[in-house]
Structures are given as structure tokens and as C-alpha cells.
Amino acid sequence: MLASTVAFGLMAICIRLASRTEPVAEIAFFRNLFGLLALLPLLLWPAMRAGAPSAHLRGVLRTTQLRRYFIRCLIGVVSMWMGFWAIAHLPLAQAVSLAYSSPIFVTVAAVLLLGERVRLRRWLAVIAGFIGVLVIVRPWSHAFTAASLVAVAAAVITAIVAIQIKQLSREDGSDTIVLWTYLFWVPMSLPAALWFWHPPQGMAWLWLVLSGVLGTFGQLLWTRALKLGEVSALTPISFVQLVIVTLAGWLWFDEAIDRWTMVGAGIIFAATAYIAHREAMLARQHRSNAPSEAVEPGT
């Protein structure tokens, strides 16, 4: 999880560096293209060692949910554009802090879209998270900018994507979900990139390649971390990303460390950590109750 967090933090820095010369839509396209190129050998390596890469690839590609993938990826591309735009136009710490509010919106979306039951304590955590967002955005002060609303909108759309991934995972494995996501993302992000096309020059190529490779590594490591450990224990580690981008913003982009952003990020961190803790507890209770439910199928 720590390696995943570092990868995502470095990816955000690369996106910010690339945005100095390249349009956001073009950055999103190359992040997806180079991400896919980095993913394929990692995905096929175990099968290549066993001598059956084509059969393995056919197995990973097998799905009956292409329509859902199309909708999920279309929404995901919009979220990516918004998130990258926020990284390009907001202080890095603020953009990343607002991105961390996504689990709060996931809880609300799970109630509205999946009919999940959320009890009082988690609702209080959601309210606290919203307060943290308001502390960062500060719509009542001169520090408020429309760019911060774009970052919040990206977090909301990311929450919808998370719900869709949860639905997809009922039938498909994580490798299938990740591969089909990239296979849709690349062509979907191409038209906007061509519309705003600016031929990358010099170091811009390095930042574009790294954004794709780091994004893929971060995603795969994050998935692996969730298989190995409890989400409630892993969530606090992910906030190391905020430390990385805050220091990078201060050292490389002359961004002041805003105390209100830090306070709001702390509130969001506490709220999302509690939500993750409660979800992990409920998941453990569900697993512990599963055997007795299996013995008495009529209850």
C-alpha cells in the first residue's frame, strides 16, 4: 500500500509537470496509452512463463458486461479529465486532499444506487467529511475558486465509478476489470486529445510516460494490498500521498502550505478512515455469519 501511495503521488507530480506544456485531454490520453502498454506485460508475465499467454489473455478478456464497462469507462474518463484539470490548476495539496473525499461520496452513492443501509455513526462520518471539504474549498472566503469545485465534482464522479466497479466485480476478476478499463479508456480519450493536440517536446515525453507507468503500478499495487490486508488498516497509509505532493508543491512549484487545506484534509482523513473501519467490521461480521446462513438456507 505504501508503494502504491508513492506511485500515485509521483503520478500527480508528473501530471502537474506535463501540464506546463500539454493540454489536460492530451495528458489523459497518454496516461491511458502508456498505462496500457505497462499493464500488458505485467498481466501476461505469469502466463508467458507457463507458456500459454494467448489462452490467459482470452480468459482475462472473457466477460458478459461490455455495456457496463462502456458506461463505467465513459464516466471514468470524465472524472479523469476533471481530476487532472484540478491537479494542473490547483495547489497540489488541495487537489489531492479533495480527491480523498471520494469515499464519503461512495457511501452516499451506495445508499442511493445500491440501497445499502448506513447507520448513524457512518452518517456522522459522512457529515464530518463534508465539513472537511468545506474547510478546504471555503466558499465564503476570497480563497474560493471555481477550480476547487471541479476537484469536488471529480471526487463525486469517482464515487459513482467505484460503485460501478463494485457491480462489475460480482462477475469479473480484478485483472479483467483493469484490462477492459484501459482498452476502453484509450480510444475514448483520443478524440479530445486530438482536438487539443499539442506535439509533446523534450521532457514532456518523460512526464507523460511516467504518468502512465506510475498510474498502472499504483493501481496494481493497490489491488494487491487490498487482497493482503484489511482496508481499515491500509487506508491511513494512503495519506502519505498528501505528504508527498505537499512537499513537492512547496519545493518545486513554490506553493505555500495552506493551514486550512491541512485542517480540512485531516477531517476528511478521519472521516474516510472511520468509514473504511466500519465497512471492514461489517464485512468481517458478514463472513462470520455466512456458515450459519449456509446451514439454514430457509432463514
Side-chain angles (χ1 to χ4, degrees), residues 13-144:
I13 295 169
C14 290
I15 291 168
R16 179 60 173 273
L17 290 167
S19 69
R20 289 174 165 177
T21 57
E22 312 308 318
V24 168
E26 190 175 329
I27 296 172
F29 167 71
F30 280 117
R31 181 260 181 268
N32 295 330
L33 176 62
F34 291 124
L36 176 61
L37 295 177
L39 172 67
L40 288 175
L42 293 172
L43 204 60
L44 295 176
W45 176 246
M48 291 172 66
R49 294 182 64 184
S54 58
H56 177 72
L57 185 59
R58 286 195 299 270
V60 173
L61 287 171
R62 190 175 297 116
T63 183
T64 60
Q65 305 186 86
L66 283 180
R67 182 178 298 179
R68 280 186 174 179
Y69 278 107
F70 179 83
I71 297 172
R72 170 260 185 275
C73 293
L74 189 61
I75 296 173
V77 165
V78 175
S79 174
M80 182 181 295
W81 286 332
M82 288 183 169
F84 286 10
W85 192 90
I87 289 173
H89 293 86
L90 285 174
L92 274 174
Q94 187 175 357
V96 171
S97 296
L98 291 173
Y100 272 116
S101 67
S102 182
I104 298 164
F105 298 110
V106 169
T107 302
V108 177
V111 173
L112 297 176
L113 301 178
L114 300 180
E116 290 189 5
R117 292 184 61 189
V118 174
R119 299 187 183 278
L120 178 61
R121 282 180 288 183
R122 271 203 288 173
W123 278 122
L124 291 176
V126 168
I127 293 171
F130 284 139
I131 292 172
V133 171
L134 288 174
V135 169
I136 295 174
V137 175
R138 282 171 285 163
W140 57 83
S141 75
H142 67 278
F144 172 74

Side-chain angles (χ1 to χ4, degrees), residues 36-256:
L36 176 61
L37 295 177
L39 172 67
L40 288 175
L42 293 172
L43 204 60
L44 295 176
W45 176 246
M48 291 172 66
R49 294 182 64 184
S54 58
H56 177 72
L57 185 59
R58 286 195 299 270
V60 173
L61 287 171
R62 190 175 297 116
T63 183
T64 60
Q65 305 186 86
L66 283 180
R67 182 178 298 179
R68 280 186 174 179
Y69 278 107
F70 179 83
I71 297 172
R72 170 260 185 275
C73 293
L74 189 61
I75 296 173
V77 165
V78 175
S79 174
M80 182 181 295
W81 286 332
M82 288 183 169
F84 286 10
W85 192 90
I87 289 173
H89 293 86
L90 285 174
L92 274 174
Q94 187 175 357
V96 171
S97 296
L98 291 173
Y100 272 116
S101 67
S102 182
I104 298 164
F105 298 110
V106 169
T107 302
V108 177
V111 173
L112 297 176
L113 301 178
L114 300 180
E116 290 189 5
R117 292 184 61 189
V118 174
R119 299 187 183 278
L120 178 61
R121 282 180 288 183
R122 271 203 288 173
W123 278 122
L124 291 176
V126 168
I127 293 171
F130 284 139
I131 292 172
V133 171
L134 288 174
V135 169
I136 295 174
V137 175
R138 282 171 285 163
W140 57 83
S141 75
H142 67 278
F144 172 74
T145 63
S148 59
L149 295 182
V150 175
V152 175
V156 174
I157 298 174
T158 299
I160 297 173
V161 171
I163 295 296
Q164 292 173 319
I165 292 174
K166 187 173 183 179
Q167 293 172 326
L168 290 168
S169 66
R170 292 171 181 171
E171 296 183 23
D172 294 342
S174 58
D175 286 350
T176 300
I177 293 172
V178 172
L179 181 56
W180 274 113
T181 295
Y182 275 105
L183 289 175
F184 274 113
W185 268 354
V186 172
M188 282 180 173
S189 57
L190 179 58
L194 293 175
W195 183 266
F196 296 100
W197 187 260
H198 174 271
Q201 302 289 332
M203 290 295 290
W205 279 114
L206 176 62
W207 310 133
L208 293 171
V209 171
L210 286 177
S211 67
V213 174
L214 289 167
T216 292
F217 272 96
Q219 203 166 11
L220 293 174
L221 289 167
W222 177 74
T223 303
R224 180 63 175 165
L226 293 182
K227 287 182 179 180
L228 293 174
E230 290 281 356
V231 65
S232 57
L234 295 171
T235 297
I237 300 173
S238 69
F239 274 76
V240 172
Q241 181 183 355
L242 183 58
V243 177
I244 294 171
V245 298
T246 300
L247 290 175
W250 177 58
L251 290 172
W252 297 335
F253 305 110
D254 296 323
E255 296 175 357

